[in-house]
Amino acid sequence: MLRRGLSVLGRAIREQPRIFAVAVSGSVLFGGLVIASAYVVGAVVGDVVVPAIARGSVGVAALALAAGALFGISVLRVVGIFGRRLGAGYMQFRLQAAYRRQVTRRYLELPLSWHQRNATGTLLSNANSDVEAAWYPIAPLPFAVGTVVMLVGAIASLFVTDWALALVGLAVFPALFALNVIYSRRMAPRQARAQRLRAEVSGIAHESFDGALVVKTMGREAQETARFAARAGELRDALISVGRLRGVFDPMLETLPSLGTLAVLVVGAFRLRQGAITVTDLVSVAFLFTVLAFPVRAIGWVLAELPRSVAGWDRVRRVLDATGEMPYGDVTLDPADLTPATLAFADVGFAYEPAEAHLPGAEVLGEVTFTVPAGRTVALVGPTGSGKSTIAALAVRLVDPHTGTVSLDGVDVRRLTAASLAGTAALVAQVPFVFDDTVRANIALDRPGVTDDDVWAALRLAEADGFVAALPEGLDTMVGERGTSLSGGQRQRLTLARALAGRPRLLVLDDATSAVDPRVEAAILAGLRAPAAGGPAASILVVAYRRATIALADEVIYLEHGRVVARGTHAELLATVAGYADLVTAYEQAEADGEQQPRPYDEVAPLTSGLEVEVDR
Ligand SMILES: Nc1ncnc2c1ncn2[C@@H]1O[C@H](COP(=O)(O)OP(=O)(O)OP(=O)(O)O)[C@@H](O)[C@H]1O
Ligand SMILES: [Mg+2]
């Protein structure tokens, strides 16, 4: 543990060598002055005070000199403390900031499959408390290094003064050091436990607040409170045990130097009588023992923090060393090409990685083959859990297939550059995500060349221009955390507009309009399919349930248990595939029942003029 802890500290020093040098210089200056102050105090007592008492009068010049020396030492000590604290603070917080940045950058580089295996709470604590814990011992480190130098100096000066007193020092200082080591050894697991419980307590609180709706409607307040109270109680006990240990060791650490001083006085008095030392020497050494006690504890602080630092560092390293299994290729698709793209799945198989490594990953997709020809709309229909979202994720390369290939315009998506992928295919996910920002920022996402006109055009296509225009500040309206100030349907249309604003050549809609009124949903899809009327020049893969929406597709792929069961037009499938007919009809029935009450959606934008939604049978 000590070796690993020191290697973490070594890394910190290698990364910030100059600041560390400043801090240690300040600390060594301070240590030297602590020793010097002891000898000055000794000199003041031995050479000024004692003669003055003997004479009955005080020499003003000697007193002024003594006062000046003490004052000068104090000023220099202030400089030393300033340098040490400033250096330590700079070093600690710079390292924290640098590693926070590295960790969050790594998160964004890592593939979706990695994120699916790692809980959000863990990621948050990696970037926050783990980074902090890793660099926590940096704060007392310069002090501790300076103290070690000071202890060596102190013992050397003791030997210069008198060997008998030096032996007392040789007994007391290592004992003090050992006591600190024992203290930190005992303290470390208690601190670690308290740290873990802190995270758990806040985790439970977070979950209860997050799920407040469920907790309230299910009447689980008492149970949730009890669950929280149990963990809070454990944290209390852990902290009390920390306090108890502190209560035992702190007095010992305070007392040991005092015992040292006592021993110095006893041994010193003896040596004084022998004439081996002077009063000045005796007072200096006795004073030295009292002022050394505090700095020695800095070594204990560093040792106490090392286990936590190593644990934090290990967790940070796990993120930094995680490998992205999805390197991008180097093939670019012509950016000037604005025609719809062709998407092809050839014999695609896929399995999610199991939650635990030793379990087998269950196959989610097998032998999936289909094409979305340029400019066409293909609907993906299937019961819940049949693999529709997985196909959507594969189409925009959020994940890679285990067998077979996914290609865009004939190029395997694994060979495309990141920019080509993002510029060609856009996914509107099943669960809309909205940033806590303005409507404009949410749609444009700072992409170059996306003007307000483009934003409005995208909003019109997403049938969202009506409600955005009615917002108090239009495009500048803040939408709140996760878009809380918007309805579910409004949020969905905002994310659709976001995808459209990038002028994708392939649009993948994963149930992206489920919370929108059925008429509006059909209108959106009809608008997207009409490039002449301002629609995007995009091929569309759409996951849908509603008959009116599906009927707009050129082809329907019907999926069951991750396999393509049937394909054809909506009318053909309805006539020939029983499972398909059941699913579509059941969904329609459920919606019809649900619509007995008016849905609480926002105002419905007027349907695109002249739109005929063809509903068969
Ligand atoms: N991250 C994941 N890890 C493990 N298994 C997953 C993961 N995501 C989905 N699955 C599993 O993969 C299968 C297909 O899921 P998928 O989300 O593609 O279904 P879907 O057709 O989109 O369903 P829905 O209509 O409910 O959205 C399901 O059995 C699901 O349990
Ligand atoms: Mg899905």
XYZ file of all heavy atoms in Angstrom, residues 116 352-353 364 382-391 430 510-511 543 545 559, ligand 1:
182
model
N -23.131 1.360 -21.093
C -24.231 0.518 -20.639
C -23.797 -0.375 -19.486
O -24.625 -0.838 -18.720
C -24.758 -0.325 -21.808
C -25.598 0.508 -22.747
C -25.923 -0.213 -24.038
O -25.290 -1.202 -24.394
N -26.914 0.294 -24.747
N -25.889 -8.248 -26.629
C -25.379 -7.296 -25.640
C -24.409 -8.006 -24.727
O -24.571 -9.203 -24.460
C -26.521 -6.691 -24.811
C -27.281 -5.642 -25.565
C -28.500 -5.927 -26.155
C -26.744 -4.368 -25.708
C -29.197 -4.960 -26.865
C -27.434 -3.398 -26.420
C -28.653 -3.698 -26.995
O -29.309 -2.756 -27.700
N -23.427 -7.283 -24.270
C -22.497 -7.905 -23.330
C -23.237 -8.182 -22.035
O -24.020 -7.360 -21.574
C -21.315 -6.971 -23.073
C -20.406 -6.929 -24.278
C -19.145 -6.160 -24.011
O -18.677 -6.194 -22.862
O -18.655 -5.523 -24.943
N -29.471 -11.043 -29.462
C -30.589 -10.119 -29.568
C -31.044 -10.011 -31.022
O -32.229 -9.903 -31.313
C -30.190 -8.740 -29.009
C -31.245 -7.706 -29.332
C -29.989 -8.829 -27.504
N -42.428 -4.451 -34.732
C -42.221 -5.696 -33.991
C -42.628 -5.506 -32.554
O -42.691 -4.384 -32.055
N -42.933 -6.613 -31.881
C -43.329 -6.497 -30.478
C -42.204 -5.917 -29.615
O -41.052 -5.863 -30.048
C -43.635 -7.937 -30.063
C -43.285 -8.803 -31.197
C -42.898 -7.986 -32.363
N -42.559 -5.519 -28.413
C -41.576 -4.909 -27.529
C -40.456 -5.903 -27.218
O -40.703 -7.091 -27.031
C -42.270 -4.377 -26.250
O -41.279 -3.783 -25.441
C -42.966 -5.473 -25.482
N -39.232 -5.421 -27.253
C -38.086 -6.289 -26.985
C -37.632 -7.093 -28.184
O -36.759 -7.947 -28.066
N -38.200 -6.833 -29.373
C -37.836 -7.655 -30.530
C -36.532 -7.197 -31.178
O -36.019 -7.882 -32.063
C -38.972 -7.657 -31.549
O -39.296 -6.337 -31.899
N -36.007 -6.056 -30.746
C -34.692 -5.645 -31.257
C -34.711 -4.419 -32.156
O -33.728 -4.128 -32.826
N -35.805 -3.672 -32.141
C -35.912 -2.509 -33.025
C -34.899 -1.422 -32.652
O -34.194 -0.883 -33.505
C -37.343 -1.947 -32.971
C -38.403 -2.974 -33.313
C -39.793 -2.409 -33.272
C -40.219 -1.964 -31.875
N -40.337 -3.084 -30.910
N -34.832 -1.106 -31.344
C -33.887 -0.061 -30.919
C -32.455 -0.499 -31.178
O -31.585 0.325 -31.479
C -34.062 0.244 -29.435
O -35.326 0.805 -29.212
N -32.206 -1.806 -31.071
C -30.857 -2.306 -31.322
C -30.487 -2.097 -32.786
O -29.356 -1.687 -33.104
C -30.787 -3.797 -30.949
O -31.327 -3.957 -29.634
C -29.373 -4.305 -30.977
N -31.439 -2.341 -33.683
C -31.184 -2.106 -35.106
C -30.916 -0.621 -35.348
O -29.996 -0.247 -36.084
C -32.378 -2.608 -35.953
C -32.392 -4.134 -35.932
C -32.313 -2.060 -37.370
C -33.487 -4.768 -36.756
N -35.499 6.779 -28.846
C -36.798 6.474 -28.253
C -37.087 7.396 -27.070
O -38.199 7.841 -26.873
C -36.768 5.017 -27.789
C -38.109 4.450 -27.426
C -38.073 2.929 -27.418
O -37.011 2.315 -27.351
N -39.225 2.313 -27.482
N -36.473 6.197 -33.952
C -36.804 5.070 -33.076
C -38.001 5.456 -32.225
O -37.859 5.988 -31.139
C -35.599 4.720 -32.191
C -35.871 3.482 -31.334
O -36.961 2.891 -31.478
O -34.993 3.126 -30.534
N -39.187 5.173 -32.756
C -40.404 5.492 -32.011
C -40.368 6.954 -31.566
O -40.754 7.290 -30.449
C -40.485 4.582 -30.781
C -41.929 4.236 -30.449
O -42.812 4.604 -31.245
O -42.153 3.626 -29.399
N -39.129 3.335 -36.722
C -39.775 2.368 -35.840
C -41.133 2.955 -35.483
O -41.198 4.073 -34.975
C -38.954 2.143 -34.558
C -39.702 1.231 -33.598
C -37.591 1.578 -34.893
N -45.618 2.190 -34.608
C -46.682 1.276 -34.226
C -47.987 1.619 -34.925
O -48.817 0.759 -35.160
C -46.928 1.346 -32.709
C -45.830 0.729 -31.895
C -44.812 1.501 -31.379
C -45.832 -0.640 -31.657
C -43.814 0.935 -30.622
C -44.842 -1.218 -30.912
C -43.830 -0.430 -30.389
O -42.842 -0.999 -29.650
N -40.450 -7.801 -37.385
C -39.401 -8.421 -36.587
C -40.012 -9.175 -35.416
O -40.947 -8.682 -34.776
C -38.552 -7.277 -36.031
C -37.057 -7.409 -35.833
C -36.384 -7.655 -37.146
C -36.542 -6.106 -35.223
N -28.144 -2.449 -22.777
C -28.665 -3.673 -22.859
N -28.063 -4.689 -22.233
C -28.550 -5.940 -22.300
N -29.648 -6.262 -22.974
C -30.316 -5.287 -23.615
C -29.856 -3.941 -23.581
N -30.709 -3.193 -24.307
C -31.647 -4.039 -24.775
N -31.420 -5.292 -24.356
C -32.223 -6.479 -24.698
O -32.219 -6.604 -26.102
C -33.487 -6.968 -26.577
C -33.926 -6.002 -27.665
O -34.055 -4.722 -27.092
P -34.485 -3.477 -27.954
O -34.357 -2.284 -27.094
O -33.749 -3.471 -29.230
O -36.021 -3.796 -28.206
P -37.133 -2.927 -28.922
O -37.650 -3.737 -30.038
O -36.608 -1.585 -29.235
O -38.240 -2.816 -27.803
P -39.282 -1.625 -27.493
O -40.368 -1.743 -28.463
O -39.778 -1.956 -26.115
O -38.548 -0.348 -27.558
C -34.399 -7.034 -25.370
O -34.560 -8.373 -25.022
C -33.655 -6.306 -24.291
O -33.913 -6.915 -23.038
